Amino acid sequence: MKTAKSLTSLLRESVDYAGLFPPAKLSMQDSVSNYAKYLGSGDSWMLGRFVVSAARLFDLSEAVASTQMDKPWRVTCVGEPDHRGTAVTIAEFNKKNAGRLLCDMVETKVVSQEDLAAALTSFPAEMAQFFEISPDDGLEEMLDAMRFSGQGAKIRTGGVTADSFPTGEEIIRFARACFDRGIDFKATAGLHHPVRCVKPLTYEPDAPTGPMHGFLNLFLMCSFMTAGADEATLEEILLEQDVANFSFTDSGVSWKGTLDVDIDAIERARANTIASFGSCSFIEPTNELREFGLLN
């Protein structure tokens, strides 16, 4: 079984590995060991950056001291409210780890336009920034304030409690607002599974269950948005729970055999709309794609 070209276009470098974060909450050493293993696997084409908080950047330096690397690891840093402090920490980290680790992306939560302005002026121009913005009534105004910055947005798509998952309507509103302004975005949390499903929200034996969004749904919704699908169709795609309704070929993807998106639209969506998603597991996404017969 061969992996369809449409799937590799849709998911190339899509998974930013966040093993340090809930619900996995692995040790630094285990997370580093996992990332090294994934980089050497046949699924490495799906792997993006290593995700670490600003407070633990230098723990990462120590943990990789004995790790063999063919090329520098790319790192994304979850920043602190003190944007300038985070920028200084990243600069020191990059200087210390030149040739082995490169933090060239920062993900920062911003709560106001003043906070956004402070973040935009704190980091060097070459640093990619993704600003976590709440999908509330002030979403469009926040995106308007950053639309010419060349930087991206970030949406939280889940968590360890049922109330931390936004609705499909909220996700589509966020994606549409970004798309209309030419702003790419990344998603984080609650996207371990390819297709929307009801699953345990943590790895604890007595974990509560709840509906979780699927990363295939999200990336395909953005691709169909790029191709011009209407909002009602986008919501159906985002909430689709039957993977059999998606058909992947070398030329594109069809949904329910009636609506198609070609590789050109998929690649435009990846380049300009949906950048990646953060996941505390890389094994779950790849294993489930394999169980569905989508990954060789």
Side-chain angles (χ1 to χ4, degrees):
M1 192 263 317
K2 176 184 146 198
T3 301
K5 290 180 181 177
S6 58
L7 187 72
T8 58
S9 294
L10 187 73
L11 297 179
R12 188 171 301 282
E13 298 183 0
S14 61
V15 186
D16 290 330
Y17 179 60
L20 295 168
F21 295 82
K25 294 187 290 186
L26 300 179
S27 69
M28 180 65 76
Q29 196 58 63
D30 284 346
S31 296
V32 164
S33 296
N34 285 347
Y35 191 74
K37 179 173 65 176
Y38 304 150
L39 279 174
S41 74
D43 299 326
S44 60
W45 61 272
M46 279 183 59
L47 190 61
R49 291 170 168 80
F50 186 95
V51 186
V52 62
S53 66
R56 302 198 66 187
L57 275 170
F58 290 100
D59 294 340
L60 174 59
S61 297
E62 294 177 11
V64 303
S66 60
T67 303
Q68 292 291 112
M69 297 179 179
D70 294 329
K71 58 183 179 181
W73 287 8
R74 296 176 304 155
V75 175
T76 181
C77 170
V78 178
E80 304 286 349
D82 176 8
H83 306 306
R84 292 194 182 278
T86 298
V88 169
T89 300
I90 292 174
E92 292 174 353
F93 171 84
N94 283 337
K95 183 177 180 180
K96 177 179 178 178
N97 296 283
R100 286 180 60 78
L101 298 168
L102 175 63
C103 180
D104 59 354
M105 180 181 291
V106 61
E107 302 174 22
T108 307
K109 185 173 183 177
V110 290
V111 296
S112 66
Q113 292 195 28
E114 292 74 20
D115 194 20
L116 172 64
L120 282 168
T121 58
S122 294
F123 297 93
E126 63 271 17
M127 177 71 65
Q129 298 178 66
F130 283 83
F131 300 111
E132 182 179 332
I133 300 170
S134 176
D136 58 17
D137 291 342
L139 170 66
E140 284 79 6
E141 289 76 13
M142 288 288 283
L143 292 176
D144 283 340
M146 61 174 288
R147 71 183 303 177
F148 300 115
S149 69
Q151 305 297 358
K154 176 180 171 182
I155 183 172
R156 189 159 293 275
T157 44
V160 297
T161 58
D163 61 1
S164 59
F165 288 77
T167 65
E169 185 178 0
E170 287 173 325
I171 292 175
I172 291 169
R173 177 186 167 217
F174 185 96
R176 172 64 72 185
C178 289
F179 178 82
D180 288 346
R181 291 162 176 79
I183 295 171
D184 61 344
F185 74 91
K186 68 173 299 184
T188 192
L191 288 172
H192 310 301
H193 306 289
V195 177
R196 184 174 170 83
C197 55
V198 176
K199 294 278 188 179
L201 302 182
T202 73
Y203 298 119
E204 301 301 321
D206 58 348
T209 61
M212 303 177 75
H213 296 290
F215 62 85
L216 275 183
N217 300 78
L218 177 62
F219 279 62
L220 285 170
M221 182 273 290
C222 290
S223 299
F224 278 98
M225 180 181 290
T226 298
D230 61 40
E231 248 62 1
T233 300
L234 295 178
E235 186 167 10
E236 286 190 67
I237 290 169
L238 187 64
L239 300 182
E240 175 65 70
Q241 297 186 56
D242 188 353
V243 71
N245 284 328
F246 296 120
S247 177
F248 292 83
T249 69
D250 284 344
S251 59
V253 182
S254 67
W255 175 60
K256 292 187 174 180
T258 60
L259 192 65
D260 302 297
V261 63
D262 61 21
I263 283 186
D264 177 65
I266 291 169
E267 291 180 345
R268 283 188 284 119
R270 286 303 314 279
N272 303 311
T273 305
I274 178 73
S276 62
F277 71 99
S279 173
C280 70
S281 175
F282 186 68
I283 293 298
E284 276 182 295
T286 54
N287 280 355
E288 291 187 28
L289 287 172
R290 201 161 272 114
E291 289 168 10
F292 289 146
L294 298 176
L295 199 62
N296 65 12

